[in-house]
Amino acid sequence: MLHDGLFYEKWNDKIKCFLCPHNCIIDNDQFGLCSVRTNKVGTLKTINYGEITAMASDPIEKKPLYHFKPMKNILSVGSFGCNFSCGFCQNYGIAHHKPKSEYVSSDKLIETCLNLKDNVGIAFTYNEPSIWYEYVYETSKKLKEKYPDFNIVLVTNGYIELEPLLKLLSYVDAMNIDLKSFRQDYYKKICGGDVKAVLRTIEESNKKCHVEITTLLVNGLNDSREEIEKISSYLGQLDKNIPLHLSRYFPTYKMDRPPTEIDVMIKAKEMAEKYLNYVYLGNVSNADHSTYCPKCRKLLVERNGFSSKIYINDNICPVCGYDIRILL
């Protein structure tokens, strides 16, 4: 559905978009790098407003969020389009193509959310949430104002300008943000972005809502000891309780490097745990995904796949009293 876009200005006979740090200058009937925001006679329009390509009721652990509403389900929805160009994109079918979609109004989506059993809210995921900003913002605002006990979750690459980010954060409860590397050259060459903008998103979001971080470790590109130390040290300085998910790369889309070695993943986790209380491995068979108290090692949340068993009643370790920072 064609819809008016936010965050732009006239730029001579073109328009300049300020939704993400690309700041695309778009000629008439052309698109920005995201392939969904276009110039229609001097007005910014978005073509994916309310256009849903994927919808499912998922365990919230699948986002992945391990410290936010464990054992609950969340309505997950995605559209199409992305402002990154990662060669290893796992959802390239909707991120970089225009698949079949169905228009669902924000009111209808909220109604669906409310009618699902054990559902805690809506997660905007699968493709980049910021790329259908107007719909995400409108839906989030409506849900939180009418039903404040329900939650809004974003699974995002974090590549968004400060003004739209802060406007949206007023209605966001939790985020999983990709921190793909700590190096600018990696972001520029592999993702087509800027690491400084993503770090700013992490820092601002961590002030406003629950944040977890995912880093995909790609064989030979960002899986070095030095890289993991920089990422985990940076996050630890923000908050040692930020959960970090280190995910194992497998060849997909345009990238055919061999899968990242298991031993590399294990050593990366050990390194990250020097700076962070909670580090988890993703895409690694037989990995322990459970949560333990950082102080006394009491088992707090036992995870088997996407199912969980909780051994706590609140945010405090029942053995030593440590503030474990899990939002039940």
Side-chain angles (χ1 to χ4, degrees), residues 267-326:
K267 289 180 178 177
K269 182 177 187 289
E270 292 171 352
M271 167 58 73
E273 287 175 333
K274 294 181 180 180
Y275 300 93
L276 295 166
N277 285 334
Y278 305 106
V279 183
Y280 303 99
L281 293 182
N283 293 337
V284 176
S285 298
N286 300 318
D288 185 358
H289 302 292
S290 297
T291 298
Y292 301 86
C293 175
K295 186 176 180 180
C296 72
R297 303 309 296 169
K298 161 71 176 175
L299 176 62
L300 304 173
V301 182
E302 184 178 7
R303 298 185 184 87
N304 183 11
F306 295 122
S307 63
S308 303
K309 186 174 182 180
I310 302 175
Y311 297 97
I312 50 176
N313 297 316
D314 52 30
N315 243 348
I316 303 300
C317 174
V319 174
C320 70
Y322 186 84
D323 183 358
I324 54 180
R325 302 281 292 276
I326 296 177

Side-chain angles (χ1 to χ4, degrees), residues 75-117:
L75 178 62
S76 300
V77 294
S79 185
F80 55 87
C82 187
N83 54 357
F84 271 3
S85 54
C86 305
F88 48 73
C89 181
Q90 295 177 322
N91 289 328
Y92 61 89
I94 59 174
H96 301 296
H97 298 88
K98 187 181 176 183
K100 181 180 179 181
S101 62
E102 178 182 353
Y103 174 74
V104 178
S105 71
S106 58
D107 290 333
K108 181 63 177 177
L109 184 63
I110 290 172
E111 180 184 346
T112 302
C113 162
L114 299 177
N115 289 333
L116 289 173
K117 184 180 179 181

Side-chain angles (χ1 to χ4, degrees), residues 213-314:
I213 303 297
T214 295
T215 299
L216 180 72
L217 297 185
V218 182
N219 186 3
L221 291 182
N222 69 338
D223 61 349
S224 69
R225 178 184 178 89
E226 294 75 20
E227 180 92 9
I228 304 308
E229 185 168 27
K230 287 179 180 178
I231 289 172
S232 53
S233 174
Y234 161 77
L235 293 174
Q237 291 175 39
L238 288 180
D239 185 344
K240 286 177 63 69
N241 291 306
I242 293 176
L244 172 61
H245 302 263
L246 298 174
S247 189
R248 187 186 183 202
Y249 153 85
F250 287 91
T252 187
Y253 193 33
K254 297 180 179 180
M255 191 169 286
D256 59 1
R257 288 172 172 267
T260 306
E261 297 291 336
I262 296 290
D263 187 56
V264 170
M265 299 296 302
I266 294 172
K267 289 180 178 177
K269 182 177 187 289
E270 292 171 352
M271 167 58 73
E273 287 175 333
K274 294 181 180 180
Y275 300 93
L276 295 166
N277 285 334
Y278 305 106
V279 183
Y280 303 99
L281 293 182
N283 293 337
V284 176
S285 298
N286 300 318
D288 185 358
H289 302 292
S290 297
T291 298
Y292 301 86
C293 175
K295 186 176 180 180
C296 72
R297 303 309 296 169
K298 161 71 176 175
L299 176 62
L300 304 173
V301 182
E302 184 178 7
R303 298 185 184 87
N304 183 11
F306 295 122
S307 63
S308 303
K309 186 174 182 180
I310 302 175
Y311 297 97
I312 50 176
N313 297 316
D314 52 30

Side-chain angles (χ1 to χ4, degrees), residues 65 174-177 202 205-206 209-213 241-243:
L65 288 174
M175 299 172 70
N176 186 296
I177 305 172
I202 292 172
S205 302
N206 190 53
C209 70
H210 176 79
V211 168
E212 303 192 21
I213 303 297
N241 291 306
I242 293 176

Side-chain angles (χ1 to χ4, degrees), residues 1-2 54 121 125 140 142 146 163 177 195 198 250 308 319 323:
M1 176 180 176
L2 197 66
T125 179
S140 301
K142 282 183 178 180
K146 293 182 179 179
E163 182 183 356
I177 305 172
V195 66
V198 177
F250 287 91
S308 303
V319 174
D323 183 358

Side-chain angles (χ1 to χ4, degrees), residues 7-67:
F7 307 109
Y8 76 99
E9 66 179 28
K10 301 280 187 176
W11 192 262
N12 298 322
D13 58 341
K14 302 178 176 64
I15 60 174
K16 187 172 185 178
C17 179
F18 293 104
L19 176 61
C20 88
H22 287 310
N23 291 166
C24 294
I25 298 173
I26 310 172
D27 209 342
N28 189 49
D29 284 333
Q30 300 300 306
F31 286 84
L33 289 173
C34 62
S35 300
V36 298
R37 301 175 80 78
T38 183
N39 179 353
K40 291 296 183 184
V41 197
T43 301
L44 181 66
K45 301 286 187 179
T46 176
I47 66 171
N48 65 346
Y49 180 89
E51 295 293 338
I52 292 180
T53 59
M55 181 186 301
S57 177
D58 287 332
I60 202 161
E61 288 84 1
K62 196 174 180 180
K63 299 304 94 189
L65 288 174
Y66 278 11
H67 289 218

